[in-house]
Every structure is written in C-alpha cells, then in structure tokens.
Amino acid sequence: MADHHDDLRRAIRRRFGERADIANVVVPTLGGVNRTILFDLVDSGATRRLASRQETYRAEDSPFLPASLQFRAMRLAFEEGVPVPEPIFEYDAADGMGSGFVTAFVAGETMPRRIFRGLDGDARLKIAIDLAHLLARLHAIDIAKAGFLEAVPDSVDVIAHYRALFDSYAEAHPAIELGFRWLERHGAPPAPRRLVHGDFRTGNFMIGPEGVRAALDWECAHIGQGIEDIGWLCVRSWRFGQTHYPVGGFAERAPFHAAYEAAGGGRIDPDAVRFWEIFGLVRWAIYNVMQAHGHVARGRRGVAFAAMGRNASLVEYELSMTLAGHYD
Amino acid sequence: MSQDRPSINDILLTVKTFLDDLGPKLDGEAKYHAQVSSYLLGICEREIRLSAGYDAAEQARLSAFLQEEGPLDDLTAKLCAGIRAGKFDDRWDATLELVLAQTIDKVRIVKPGHLDAMHRDPEPDRSRP
C-alpha cells in the first residue's frame, strides 16, 4: 500500500530485516523545525510504537545540538537510568532522510495547560518530586562518559555563547543588555561540572497520571552546572500562568530543593538558582529575537516566528521585573 | 491624503474579528496560525494607536537620562552600549527604572494583559472601532 513513507520503511528494513514493516503512521502537526512521524514497528509478530524525528531546517549559527549528539546524549541518559524515550537508531546518509533519529514513543501529555487542568495538590507535588529525582540522577552521571559534548559552545561557556548569538543579530535590546550586565557583575557561583539537559522545562516533559514519564528535547544538552537546569525550570515563562509555583508551575521551591538534595543531587544555593534564572530569562528573550531574525533575514517565515519576535518584549518585562525584585 | 472610512484601526479589528470567528472552525496548524494571526493584528492595531505617544515619552526619558538630544534609535543604541561598558553601574536603579519603563510600553502594545496589576493601563479600552 502506497503511504508516502517508503523512505522510513526502507530505513527500518535496513536495520530490522526485510520482514519488518511499519503501520499506523501518524504525522502530528507540532510546528517547529522538526518533522515528527509516529509509527508502529511490526517485526516478527511483535509491534512497538516508535517516534521518528527529522531536522528540516538548520541555520548555520543554530545554537542547538546536531541530531547525532542529541542521540548520543539521550543514549547516555537512558543507559544511566534517566527516564527518556529509548533511543533506537540514528539515520545515516544511506537512509536519505537527513539528520534525525528514531526513539521509542512515550504516551502522555506535554501541553502545559492541559497538564495543569484538573491537577490536584498531591499530583502537582508528585510531578515536582519526580522532576527533582530525574535531575539528581542526570547530574550524577560521570561526565567522563559525556566527552562528546565537551567541545559544544554551551559546554565551553554557555553565557558567552548566548552573548555571541545575541550580538550576531545586531539589535538594540536594553533589557537584554541589562540582564547580561547583571550576570557579569554577579558571576556564576562556582559549582562542579555536570551533564546538563539544557532545556529542562514544562512543555518538554511527558506526563502521565502517575507522574513524569520522560524528559524530551535533548537538543541543548551540554556539560555545565547542574543548577543551570534548575534555574531554567524555574524561569517564569515556564510557569504558564501558575506563577505562585516557581518550579515549572508545579510546586514551590522548598519541596523541590529538598527532594533534589535527598536524592543526592547536592546542596542547592538559592542565589545560584536566581543567577541561572536571570540567565534563563536573558536566554529565552534571545531565543525569541533569534526566531524573528529567521523570519526577517533568513527566509524562514511564518506567523508564529513573527509573533515570537514581538514576544521577546514579554520576556524582557519579566526579566526587568525580576531584576527589580517585583517578581521572584 | 485623507482616506474614506473605515479607519485603519477599524479595518485591522474587522479582519481580526473575522480570524477570531474562523479559528474555531479550523483544526491543527491552521487553527493555531489563525489565532496567532489574530494576535498579530491586535499588535498592529495597538501600535498604530499608541506608538507615537510612547516613542515621544521614551525619547524624553532617554534624553534626560543620557543628558543629550538625538533620534530615538541613536539614544537607544547609546543606552545599550553604555550598559554593556558598565558606564551606568553606579546608576543601576535609575537604569533599571528606565529599561522597565521601555519594556512596559512595548508590552502595552504587544500583550497588555501580560503586565502585572501595578502596570495595567487604568484608561478604558479604546480599541473598539
């Protein structure tokens, strides 16, 4: 039966043999620059739901990891017991499908507002504690095993990387400048180097009724301070209206910190969280500027990208309010 | 040139209303893009109505802070360069106040509901034609 997924079928048969097939193919419209295909791998009577992810657009100055390094970071995390969709295989040149990979499909909900709808206090806290345990496990990984990430810009100096990215757009944003200046004057409190997820935020977690099922989107993984992940998780933009719950909209800080420390993640310095939260606001504002740049200057046009350019100001407001002490 | 009615703001809000009615009849990406398009037209309508006043106020604030006159873009560039060079470190609170005022005005155009209660515009909504 012709279903326009012959390339995927061929890639599957190259790895699982000529008797393997694909079925129940769904291409969700998620937006963004990755093409996702969900399908069943049917092999010797057994069926397994998988997810294919292909990169369809890559700017030469993209701050995101190439697919091959994402795949390796996910594989390492998976082998070390971090809940992540099991990496199955990576596409190669012979597949003719560009950069990308196939992982296990993890069912559940990622959309923040749907997650928050009908979530009671116990379920909220359970998710926050799951996230703390997940991070503690990730940050306990021996970074000698993640040497393949040492050379990426975020591992060398994550703040300098975003400074350079921002400068490349040559746009005047006083709030972003003030954020950078604050970071420069305060400096990151010293901390040991860890494997960092890099985009650990509400929206990138697969959630089920029992709690957190998987951490998704490893395209910002790098070697850095574990506390970077905690600061990013607490950035106000990821609370999706649940502003009184700084930890991703799920919980207050104290129970999350206690769970992370009890799971062996190390002591959390609130000043360090604040530092990385300020950086997170600067970084998220720059992401929005980056999307506008793609729209205005790179021909990667669309209403969503245009809106993100203007939404930079919303993040700049949150950054200014946080620096002024009005927002925590 | 004096155009006939409706005004530009009226036209923008008319198209916005059309998109708001259309959105629920669509699915998936088209529905999302209709919502975003409506959002963008709202920004256009507020910018046309409000930006002249905001720009003048911002220019006056920047001139007072930097103690010099000039076009808004030049003054903003000088503010950015000065912040980066640490020139205003000893006036941190005043700099932050200036930057906050600028972001408040930007958000008043982009998404007024995003502002904290302390910055919501007390004026009645004049966005209806």
Side-chain angles (χ1 to χ4, degrees):
Chain A
M1 197 167 28
D3 55 14
H4 311 296
H5 295 289
D6 293 340
D7 52 355
L8 177 61
R9 180 177 290 103
R10 208 161 44 239
I12 288 292
R13 288 184 175 161
R14 284 184 62 220
R15 290 164 180 88
F16 295 93
E18 283 304 312
R19 308 183 81 163
D21 206 351
I22 58 174
N24 298 318
V25 180
V26 175
V27 182
T29 51
L30 304 169
V33 296
N34 291 297
R35 180 165 188 252
T36 301
I37 307 172
L38 308 180
F39 63 99
D40 289 340
L41 164 62
V42 185
D43 186 17
S44 315
T47 295
R48 189 173 186 197
R49 192 91 178 137
L50 300 180
S52 159
R53 194 171 151 107
Q54 290 165 268
E55 197 175 61
T56 55
Y57 169 88
R58 186 172 182 85
E60 68 257 40
D61 57 354
S62 168
F64 305 119
L65 284 182
S68 60
L69 292 186
Q70 287 176 49
F71 188 78
R72 289 180 74 180
M74 287 177 79
R75 172 149 293 288
L76 173 59
F78 180 78
E79 285 167 357
E80 297 283 334
V82 177
V84 50
E86 181 184 352
I88 307 293
F89 68 86
E90 195 189 337
Y91 292 124
D92 61 27
D95 292 315
M97 295 180 71
S99 306
F101 47 78
V102 171
T103 67
F105 171 74
V106 179
E109 186 56 76
T110 60
M111 296 278 289
R113 290 187 202 283
R114 277 193 225 149
I115 290 168
F116 291 134
R117 201 177 298 148
L119 204 59
D120 67 24
D122 289 348
R124 252 176 211 288
L125 194 58
K126 171 67 166 56
I127 290 170
I129 288 170
D130 283 355
L131 293 174
H133 291 169
L134 192 162
L135 274 188
R137 185 170 280 268
L138 175 68
H139 295 160
I141 294 174
D142 177 5
I143 58 164
K145 295 175 181 168
F148 57 92
L149 290 174
E150 282 287 1
V152 305
D154 279 349
S155 298
V156 177
D157 185 337
V158 69
I159 297 175
H161 179 208
Y162 280 90
R163 175 83 243 187
L165 197 64
F166 176 60
D167 287 349
S168 74
Y169 306 132
E171 277 188 40
H173 289 266
I176 294 176
E177 291 293 351
L178 201 64
F180 271 125
R181 187 63 192 152
W182 187 94
L183 294 169
E184 207 167 57
R185 292 180 76 194
H186 287 76
R193 288 168 68 73
R194 307 287 190 207
L195 174 58
V196 171
H197 178 281
D199 198 5
F200 197 78
R201 62 155 180 99
T202 305
N204 285 341
F205 309 133
M206 191 57 84
I207 307 278
E210 78 289 0
V212 178
R213 290 181 176 164
L216 311 175
D217 288 318
W218 289 73
E219 55 199 14
C220 297
H222 64 278
I223 310 290
Q225 296 193 4
I227 203 90
E228 289 177 47
D229 276 334
I230 295 168
W232 185 242
L233 173 62
C234 294
V235 164
R236 198 177 180 89
S237 314
W238 313 137
R239 300 179 200 170
F240 296 95
Q242 317 287 308
T243 51
H244 48 299
Y245 290 126
V247 182
F250 294 112
E252 293 178 43
R253 295 175 195 272
F256 175 83
H257 290 191
Y260 180 81
E261 290 174 3
R267 203 186 71 80
I268 294 177
D269 170 6
D271 286 341
V273 178
R274 177 171 163 82
F275 179 91
W276 290 107
E277 224 172 294
I278 300 283
F279 172 66
L281 288 160
V282 168
R283 178 184 168 205
W284 178 227
I286 293 171
Y287 270 144
N288 283 275
V289 175
M290 176 179 81
Q291 300 296 6
H293 183 76
H295 175 82
V296 173
R298 291 273 174 77
R300 201 258 295 105
R301 299 181 64 79
V303 288
F305 299 125
M308 283 186 82
R310 289 306 188 95
N311 284 349
S313 66
L314 309 185
V315 189
E316 290 177 356
Y317 176 72
E318 298 188 324
L319 170 62
S320 306
M321 289 290 277
T322 304
L323 289 174
H326 296 307
Y327 282 167
D328 77 331
Chain B
M1 182 177 57
S2 160
Q3 280 292 358
D4 303 325
R5 290 189 293 175
S7 68
I8 185 74
N9 298 66
D10 187 322
I11 293 170
L12 285 166
L13 290 171
T14 304
V15 180
K16 186 179 187 305
T17 302
F18 166 73
L19 288 169
D20 291 341
D21 292 341
L22 179 69
K25 296 170 190 154
L26 303 172
D27 295 314
E29 202 164 41
K31 179 181 189 154
Y32 173 62
H33 286 165
Q35 287 168 350
V36 176
S37 299
S38 163
Y39 174 71
L40 287 170
L41 291 186
I43 293 173
C44 295
E45 191 279 327
R46 286 186 294 275
E47 183 159 322
I48 289 168
R49 181 158 47 88
L50 301 169
S51 68
Y54 288 175
D55 286 355
E58 192 179 332
Q59 191 168 10
R61 284 194 302 262
L62 278 166
S63 281
F65 181 85
L66 297 167
Q67 293 290 300
E68 66 175 277
E69 305 292 320
L72 180 55
D73 286 353
D74 291 359
L75 296 177
T76 305
K78 280 188 176 149
L79 174 67
C80 287
I83 291 170
R84 184 169 188 170
K87 212 171 139 187
F88 308 125
D89 285 355
D90 57 350
R91 297 163 69 195
W92 182 265
D93 290 347
T95 314
L96 178 53
E97 199 181 327
L98 182 73
V99 168
L100 181 58
Q102 184 215 35
T103 63
I104 291 167
D105 285 355
K106 282 163 79 171
V107 175
R108 280 192 174 129
I109 286 172
V110 173
K111 193 179 181 184
H114 187 76
L115 292 168
D116 188 82
M118 70 168 84
H119 297 130
R120 296 239 173 94
D121 199 342
E123 282 182 66
D125 183 14
R126 286 171 287 125
S127 66
R128 305 315 297 184

